[in-house]
Amino acid sequence: MSGADASTLTYDGLSGLNRPKLITEVPGPEAMARIERDAKVTSPSLPRAYPFVPRRGAGSMVEDVDGNIFLDLNAGIAVTSTGHCHPKVVEAVQRQAAELLHYSASDFYLPIYSDVCERLDALAPFGGKPARSFLANSGTEAVEAALKLARFATGRQYLIGMYQSFHGRTMGSVTLTASKAKYRTNFGPMLPGVYHSFFGDFDYIEGVLFKRIVSPTEVAAIVVESWLGEGGYVLPPDGWFTYLRELCDKHGILLICDEVQCGVGRSGTMWAIEQEGIAPDIITAGKGIASGLPLGAMIARDDLMTWDLGAHGSTYGGSPVSCAAALATLDVIEEEGLMDNASKVGDIFLTGIRDIAERHPIITDIRGRALWIGLGFADHDQAAAVELASFRRGLLMLGCGDDSIRISPPLVFREDQAGVALEIFEEAVAEVESAGS
Ligand code: PLP
């Protein structure tokens, strides 16, 4: 198939494919020219994983600027939950864009903003207790809103986060982020009053922090990813959230679950925390909530939303177009059974990868559930080599943690596509294994 032919595929034609089609070496000539231009004008801080230059996408397939077609296990970093350019999302965005592009919901009453809040409040995993939502433009802004509300509602200043966690790059969020020192290097001082414990640890908060560093009576919130994302796609140990919930209840501390990456269906349930059997006080969402349009949400128990008029707001947060995308996304997730699909296709991946790991012991660890899977290797270089070998075969994967690769495809990923992805992944693993032996 020529590049031009690939480009003329309709949405259905492109999304119906299950196998990458590479017509050039990757990166191809157009991609290389674009990367050269990009290198002269963009911030060198952007952490590009490999030379992929997308032009358009449909479902779980993405075409690059040379007409190469890739199978996408990244979903644009766990964002395109309904797949690339789902027709119902595109239609909702186009309709809203033609009707009203902007009116700030902070200063005026935007109906579609409250439509989204109504929807999220009804979905909030607070054990039936009423909720309210604040909409932002990104995950990090949702986390900032949660931190500010926690301090306001409790009148306390201290916060506890977890090592390995990622909450974003604005100053409050990056202070809680403790997955890689480079995210903080040369940006200090960080936000005062933030301490860290260990994801999955049952002793350190009480045994060290509360005993030696900070009184629990002064702690506003424990902030934790329900399932650890950038830090390696790690599930919490059994009972850990029950322990955290009890600890918080004992000391009047709020439990904030950051579900910017694992939320909105990726876990096989709307929220990953539903599978841990407890209710948080505040939850943050982003990424998959609007299929690629910028939207973050901070959803809190109604009785915590005590802050004063004007205490928090945003010019663009909850823009009408992002809100239209969010409503369509939630409809598609529910109507097309995408949470069940995530569980079903996730099982296929887990079974397939366990088989592959038997044949290729360089895969040292397999963890996860639904379309949230982390694969461990000996070290970062080996994981990066598998990521690159997959890319060269037309399979898009992304690293996480110190030595891992994640599988976080669109929630529309199909069984036939999983079969092909496993086949290509095994070839990539075999190549790296034989290069190292
Ligand atoms: N929280 C979590 C758990 C994340 O994974 C991320 C981004 O990866 C963020 C917050 C920050 O989101 P954003 O990049 O939209 O600011």
Side-chain angles (χ1 to χ4, degrees):
M1 180 184 284
S2 74
D5 287 339
S7 298
T8 56
L9 282 176
T10 59
Y11 173 88
D12 285 341
L14 188 55
S15 68
L17 300 179
N18 60 18
R19 195 167 283 281
K21 285 180 197 285
L22 301 185
I23 57 171
T24 70
E25 292 277 301
V26 290
E30 285 292 328
M32 293 217 287
R34 177 50 70 174
I35 289 167
E36 216 175 287
R37 281 173 68 184
D38 179 291
K40 293 185 190 131
V41 296
T42 61
S43 164
S45 63
L46 301 172
R48 270 67 183 272
Y50 44 80
F52 174 56
V53 187
R55 175 163 60 195
R56 69 177 185 134
S60 302
M61 309 304 296
V62 190
E63 187 190 0
D64 80 356
V65 288
D66 289 288
N68 296 304
I69 297 175
F70 294 78
L71 184 54
D72 188 7
L73 289 182
N74 293 339
I77 324 191
V79 168
T80 56
S81 49
T82 55
H84 295 279
C85 299
H86 192 292
K88 288 185 184 155
V89 177
V90 171
E91 194 271 327
V93 165
Q94 287 173 335
R95 191 169 13 95
Q96 182 59 50
E99 202 170 290
L100 184 70
L101 275 178
H102 172 74
Y103 223 97
S104 177
S106 275
D107 288 15
F108 303 97
Y109 294 91
L110 194 59
I112 198 163
Y113 183 104
S114 46
D115 287 347
V116 172
C117 294
E118 228 166 64
R119 197 80 181 261
L120 292 175
D121 296 352
L123 290 170
F126 298 155
K129 296 198 176 122
R132 286 178 181 266
S133 294
F134 171 84
L135 303 182
N137 299 289
S138 61
T140 197
E141 285 181 44
V143 172
E144 295 286 346
L147 306 185
K148 288 174 74 175
L149 180 65
R151 282 183 164 177
F152 194 102
T154 60
R156 301 175 179 190
Q157 58 174 309
Y158 292 103
L159 300 160
I160 296 176
M162 301 291 152
Y163 291 116
Q164 284 181 280
S165 66
F166 187 91
H167 298 286
R169 294 171 182 274
T170 50
M171 284 314 283
S173 303
V174 83
T175 305
L176 279 161
T177 290
S179 52
K180 294 193 176 107
K182 70 178 176 189
Y183 298 144
R184 307 160 139 249
T185 305
N186 291 330
F187 296 139
M190 297 280 118
L191 188 74
V194 177
Y195 299 107
H196 288 88
S197 181
F198 298 86
F199 189 84
D201 178 276
F202 287 85
D203 301 316
Y204 189 82
I205 296 178
E206 284 172 290
V208 178
L209 293 183
F210 290 174
K211 199 162 159 189
R212 310 203 180 279
I213 304 280
V214 60
S215 162
T217 58
E218 289 192 283
V219 175
I222 294 178
V223 186
V224 57
E225 290 173 76
S226 303
W227 292 2
L228 194 68
E230 298 298 317
Y233 270 46
V234 180
L235 298 183
D238 286 347
W240 189 55
F241 270 98
T242 307
Y243 156 75
L244 287 181
R245 181 69 272 173
E246 285 169 3
L247 191 65
C248 287
D249 288 345
K250 186 167 154 198
H251 299 292
I253 297 170
L254 300 179
L255 183 60
I256 302 178
C257 285
D258 182 351
E259 296 226 4
V260 167
Q261 189 149 175
C262 61
V264 196
R266 178 157 299 286
S267 65
T269 45
M270 185 54 74
W271 309 108
I273 198 67
E274 291 171 45
Q275 299 177 35
E276 307 302 329
I278 59 108
D281 301 297
I282 299 177
I283 193 161
T284 55
K287 288 186 181 279
I289 198 174
S291 294
L293 273 283
L295 190 72
M298 188 272 290
I299 310 160
R301 267 205 343 261
D302 181 34
D303 60 295
L304 295 174
M305 285 263 192
T306 53
W307 47 13
D308 301 322
L309 190 73
H312 199 53
S314 165
T315 300
Y316 294 113
S319 127
V321 181
S322 294
C323 283
L327 292 174
T329 297
L330 293 169
D331 284 347
V332 169
I333 288 176
E334 284 167 6
E335 287 162 12
E336 298 188 10
L338 297 191
M339 289 182 270
D340 287 346
N341 188 62
S343 299
K344 187 180 68 181
V345 178
D347 284 347
I348 293 170
F349 270 118
L350 284 166
T351 308
I353 286 163
R354 286 191 190 111
D355 281 353
I356 293 172
E358 298 222 332
R359 294 187 286 275
H360 303 284
I362 66 165
I363 302 171
T364 55
D365 192 29
I366 302 164
R367 47 189 186 260
R369 206 173 293 150
L371 290 177
W372 177 274
I373 297 172
L375 308 174
F377 292 85
D379 54 31
H380 170 79
D381 288 351
Q382 201 173 59
V386 172
E387 185 188 66
L388 196 61
S390 301
F391 167 64
R392 298 228 186 271
R393 289 172 168 75
L395 184 67
L396 301 175
M397 304 186 86
L398 191 60
C400 60
D402 297 331
D403 50 18
S404 299
I405 289 182
R406 73 187 96 174
I407 293 181
S408 57
L411 309 184
V412 293
F413 213 80
R414 298 191 307 265
E415 292 181 44
D416 60 311
Q417 291 171 324
V420 173
L422 286 164
E423 211 180 281
I424 299 172
F425 175 67
E426 180 160 13
E427 286 171 22
V429 168
E431 178 192 306
V432 172
E433 197 171 48
S434 62
S437 59

